[in-house]
Amino acid sequence: MDAFYASVEMRDHPDLKEKAVVVAHDPRKHNGHGVITTANYVARKYGVGSAMPAMRAVEQVPKDQLVFIPPNFEKYRQVSAQVHEIMHEVTDQVESVSLDEAYIDVTQNKLGNYSSIELGNYMQQKIFKTTKLTCSFGVTYNKFLAKMASEYAKPFGKTVILPEEALNFLAKQDIKKFPGVGKKMQETLRSMNINTGEDLQKTSVQTLIDRFKKMGYVLAMHSRGIDLSPVQAERQRKSIGKERTFEPSIFEEQAALTQLRKYSREITEMLKERNLQAGCVVLKVRDTNFYTITRRRMLKKKTQDPRIIYQEARALLEREEDFVTRGIRLLGVSVTDLEQEIYEETNLFSTL
DNA sequence: GCGGATCAC
DNA sequence: TATGGTGATCCGC
């Protein structure tokens, strides 16, 4: 397989630039982190609390101080669709990871007898021409390496890794570059004196399994350049959820219930768009101390009915009265155990 | 099956 | 010191 990973630098788009924060007096520009991170950083620096509530309250923010502009997700989606269109010119084997990243299996392509690198160049150029966005890409023999290679090529380059080069390339990488290695795993690995890909390569597979179970195995394989996972063009969604942070927190049960009703409606809409039925309702609550729980309940029958989702969510919340007393900072509902809705019955009746 | 933890974006 | 929203996966029970 010739895998390919493309990462588009969306924040460079002229129409998306305003998405983060416009700060009246702050010379600071995007620092390379995510939108919200940037916004939070500035919010913190200016002591106006966290960014999201501030963005919601954009009208009330004094003009001479900070102006928060909420991200324009519609625009994001629009540009993302353009990018995906270009990718699909090459092949339909596109596994989108997020709005601006995708794995592409270019073992076969629609355009003709071109090398993976030529196909990459083509997409990169076309994306730049049509959207003015730069993107980086990696070309190599599996997904994992392609992602690493693409990261290495940021913001507007390409990295090609041949099979015989993989071990050497990986040996030089810091462990935090490996997907799946976040804050916690990094700490543990460093405490074991494992800091680079080379260290991982020198650690026995068994040692990594003993310490990190499945993730250890995956990490061991990755560090040795092995990843057999296929590019999955059609991945089905496994859950749909809505959540929101409240600033100030909610202390009224009625207010919380109103939110639950709203979530239930929104989730139902998404279920209907995708013709899905939910089999389980999950409630998520966080109090003012940031203590967070989730509570779930399987449904007797899969549903698409907002009233049922609301009822379950409400029942779950009512068992957690203390949260209302202590103040709800975050409230969320999601549904899982999704199943494609069967048409036949409904069609039968709706046509009558 | 449930709930917490961790991770990616 | 203050910590957004959405979704996936793993692990222990």
Side-chain angles (χ1 to χ4, degrees):
Chain A
M1 172 173 82
D2 254 6
F4 181 97
Y5 191 88
S7 173
V8 183
E9 295 293 328
M10 278 215 173
R11 69 173 67 85
D12 290 342
H13 194 285
D15 292 342
L16 295 175
K17 245 181 189 157
E18 81 280 16
K19 70 190 185 291
V21 261
V22 176
V23 183
H25 307 298
D26 196 312
R28 171 167 282 273
K29 302 217 169 86
H30 304 310
N31 58 8
H33 296 305
V35 182
I36 304 297
T37 310
T38 309
N40 273 333
Y41 176 88
V42 178
R44 209 155 53 231
K45 184 173 169 188
Y46 282 78
V48 294
S50 60
M52 282 306 278
M55 286 195 281
R56 286 188 198 107
V58 63
E59 297 303 323
Q60 291 121 45
V61 177
K63 288 275 188 290
D64 61 336
Q65 302 209 351
L66 299 180
V67 180
F68 290 83
I69 299 180
N72 183 350
F73 276 104
E74 266 320 300
K75 188 73 191 181
Y76 268 114
R77 267 187 274 276
Q78 212 178 306
V79 175
S80 173
Q82 278 183 290
V83 171
H84 274 78
E85 208 171 298
I86 293 167
M87 293 173 175
H88 278 272
E89 281 182 38
V90 174
T91 174
D92 288 328
Q93 294 306 307
V94 178
E95 174 180 338
S96 84
V97 174
S98 63
L99 283 178
D100 60 359
E101 299 192 21
Y103 291 103
I104 308 174
D105 184 341
V106 287
T107 310
Q108 291 175 341
N109 78 85
K110 299 178 185 174
L111 298 185
N113 189 20
Y114 296 105
S115 72
S116 305
I117 299 167
E118 288 172 319
L119 294 169
N121 289 336
Y122 170 77
M123 287 187 271
Q124 190 181 44
Q125 286 306 312
K126 184 137 185 190
I127 288 169
F128 187 68
K129 271 184 205 147
T130 58
T131 68
K132 300 281 175 258
L133 288 175
T134 60
C135 73
S136 62
F137 65 97
V139 181
T140 176
Y141 63 92
N142 69 34
K143 279 170 71 173
F144 153 72
L145 263 176
K147 185 163 171 29
M148 295 282 280
S150 167
E151 287 296 314
Y152 191 76
K154 278 188 175 185
F156 196 21
K158 66 179 165 224
T159 304
V160 180
I161 302 176
L162 301 175
E164 60 268 30
E165 300 168 338
L167 285 183
N168 235 322
F169 172 84
L170 291 168
K172 289 184 292 189
Q173 305 300 316
D174 191 276
I175 47 165
K176 69 166 176 284
K177 300 267 184 75
F178 286 75
V181 178
K183 194 164 170 284
K184 297 290 178 181
M185 202 169 185
Q186 214 184 126
E187 278 169 22
T188 314
L189 284 167
R190 298 212 190 276
S191 79
M192 296 164 71
N193 259 323
I194 299 173
N195 294 294
T196 64
E198 186 178 7
D199 297 336
L200 281 172
Q201 288 168 0
K202 286 193 294 201
T203 307
S204 79
V205 180
Q206 194 56 51
T207 303
L208 290 167
I209 292 175
D210 289 346
R211 194 69 85 113
F212 303 107
K213 311 285 176 189
K214 188 163 180 172
M215 275 309 298
Y217 176 73
V218 172
L219 197 54
M221 292 303 109
H222 282 176
S223 70
R224 290 153 173 80
I226 301 166
D227 172 22
L228 301 178
S229 65
V231 170
Q232 289 183 285
E234 297 164 31
R235 278 172 53 194
Q236 70 224 358
R237 189 190 287 260
K238 295 183 174 170
S239 71
I240 292 175
K242 283 277 163 197
E243 67 181 53
R244 189 181 178 311
T245 293
F246 298 91
E247 187 75 45
S249 297
I250 295 176
F251 287 91
E252 304 285 326
E253 186 175 13
Q254 279 312 314
L257 294 180
T258 302
Q259 276 306 124
L260 294 186
R261 267 188 288 269
K262 186 161 166 257
Y263 295 150
S264 303
R265 283 197 304 271
E266 289 168 350
I267 289 169
T268 302
E269 270 187 39
M270 293 174 72
L271 286 172
K272 286 188 173 159
E273 278 168 22
R274 294 157 223 269
N275 262 298
L276 293 168
Q277 305 245 97
C280 181
V281 175
V282 188
L283 177 80
K284 179 173 173 183
V285 201
R286 172 175 294 157
D287 70 16
T288 42
N289 293 323
F290 229 73
Y291 173 66
T292 312
I293 60 162
T294 63
R295 293 289 180 262
R296 74 181 60 202
R297 195 156 154 200
M298 297 278 290
L299 303 177
K300 273 175 269 169
K301 193 162 164 271
K302 303 228 191 241
T303 188
Q304 223 185 32
D305 187 337
R307 290 168 301 180
I308 297 196
I309 295 173
Y310 168 68
Q311 268 174 21
E312 295 297 333
R314 174 180 184 162
L316 290 168
L317 180 65
E318 278 171 352
R319 282 194 245 157
E320 311 295 333
E321 288 173 14
D322 330 0
F323 274 87
V324 188
T325 334
R326 292 200 300 270
I328 295 175
R329 180 188 172 83
L330 175 147
L331 189 62
V333 175
S334 58
V335 293
T336 64
D337 284 64
L338 305 181
E339 190 177 87
Q340 203 76 31
E341 192 195 9
I342 319 284
Y343 287 91
E344 300 164 49
E345 286 180 62
T346 21
N347 282 349
L348 216 65
F349 290 108
S350 61
T351 40
L352 287 181

